[in-house]
Amino acid sequence: MVDKARNAALKLLRDIDIKKGYINLEIKPALKDNSLSTLDRAFITDIVYGVTRYRLTLDWLIKRYSRGGKASPWIRNILRMGMYQILYMDRVPDFAACDSSVELAKKYAGQREAGYVNAVLRRLIQEKDDLVSLFPQDTVSRIALKYSFPEWMVRLWLNTMSETLAEELCAAQNIRPSLTIRANELKISQDGLIKLLEQRSIMYSCGVYLPEALNIEQNVDVESLPGYDDGLFAVQDEASMMVAHVVDPRPGQIIIDACSAPGGKAVHMAQFMKDQGRILSVDVYPHRIELIKAQCARLGVNCIEPVCYDSTVYNEDWYGMADAVLIDAPCSGLGIIRHKPDIKWRRAEKDIGELLQIQRQILDTCSLYVKPRGVLIYSTCTINPDENQNMINNFLNDHSDFILDDVYQKLPHALSVYHDSRDKWVQFYPNEDKIDGFFVARMLKVR
């Protein structure tokens, strides 16, 4: 008999393959099925995210054990699921992973293919304890296959850090993080939100650095948490929360958030401003502007003005008007792979050059909107010096009216203990900081 949760996970994985959909968007409606139990939903989420996370390694094994020819999308994903359970889900017995995969193969591909699936998975069970010895032993290939990362990403990190740190980074990016939220203090205090969570017996822990960060330590649909519909909290990783702290907005100021959607940083800044002032929340795509509007409506924020506009294009009406301009730049996203593992397979090395041009164009353009003695903040959710430190150095070399300001003056003191604060900017790493991989720099306009 075909297992309901595994069947749902298989359909999701096949749909994602066929439609090239985003995992976080595809999985959400599938989990709304009322016939699924809480355990089913957790199992489906684990399978779908896990198979996506380890796809390179799983496909390498499928090819190694293949009898020749190209597997159908059904069989390929059945094998991926079975292999993932055998290698990475200790609580699933090997025989259960194998037998359930065989049943799925019978349903979707017939008896012959089921026999093939059975043979492949039984061979994996025999060899799994010596798996690493089967990988190529050159450093890049070994790390890429062990942690399931594209070789170009591994090379990029090996160019900027030791082999040990690169491995630790890859390992950390494969650990699914907790859901992190923060109280919307326009409506409720942090203590009030904690009391709500405790009343519902929701397990949580405090953030690593920021007092407002709360990690939900159980598998739960965010919309089912107490206070979601009433806008009592926002969902945001702790590293992303750091950005508003670096901006340090004050009530009554004018802020331009140049790449704003879906609006998480804008609503955080509005909270700092006590919803007093003006935040132009800019994005180039109309459907993403709707995400900003929805976030403002749920959280009850009024000082944000969503604007559909291309931030690479100069707007003379905004010249010199802003106390602060935030550029949360379009980037390679290599710091948030633990949240979005499909970034590994969606992002290509050739994308970086185009991103660098866009980032620099937005920096050059939006720097014109900063008033004298105002600040320009640049952030990304990536771990790549060309998009981060080198981008800022090059910008400052060409713009003598800006100087680097010290982000550590705006961040929790504990951070300066773990980071080289002489740099004045900050780069977070999931392996070292236990939060997303973010970069943040703050620049002061001196004239």
Side-chain angles (χ1 to χ4, degrees), residues 44-60:
I44 292 165
T45 302
D46 194 346
I47 289 282
V48 173
Y49 272 87
V51 165
T52 305
R53 192 171 285 119
Y54 285 99
R55 197 176 81 181
L56 179 78
T57 308
L58 301 174
D59 286 355
W60 182 86

Side-chain angles (χ1 to χ4, degrees), residues 348-359 384 387:
E349 188 172 13
K350 62 181 176 59
D351 298 338
I352 303 296
E354 181 180 347
L355 285 167
L356 294 174
Q357 292 180 21
I358 294 170
Q359 290 159 357
N384 177 10
E387 298 178 74

Side-chain angles (χ1 to χ4, degrees), residues 140-156:
V140 172
S141 298
R142 180 186 61 79
I143 293 175
L145 278 172
K146 183 177 180 181
Y147 300 101
S148 192
F149 276 80
E151 289 192 357
W152 72 265
M153 285 188 197
V154 176
R155 281 194 296 269
L156 185 152

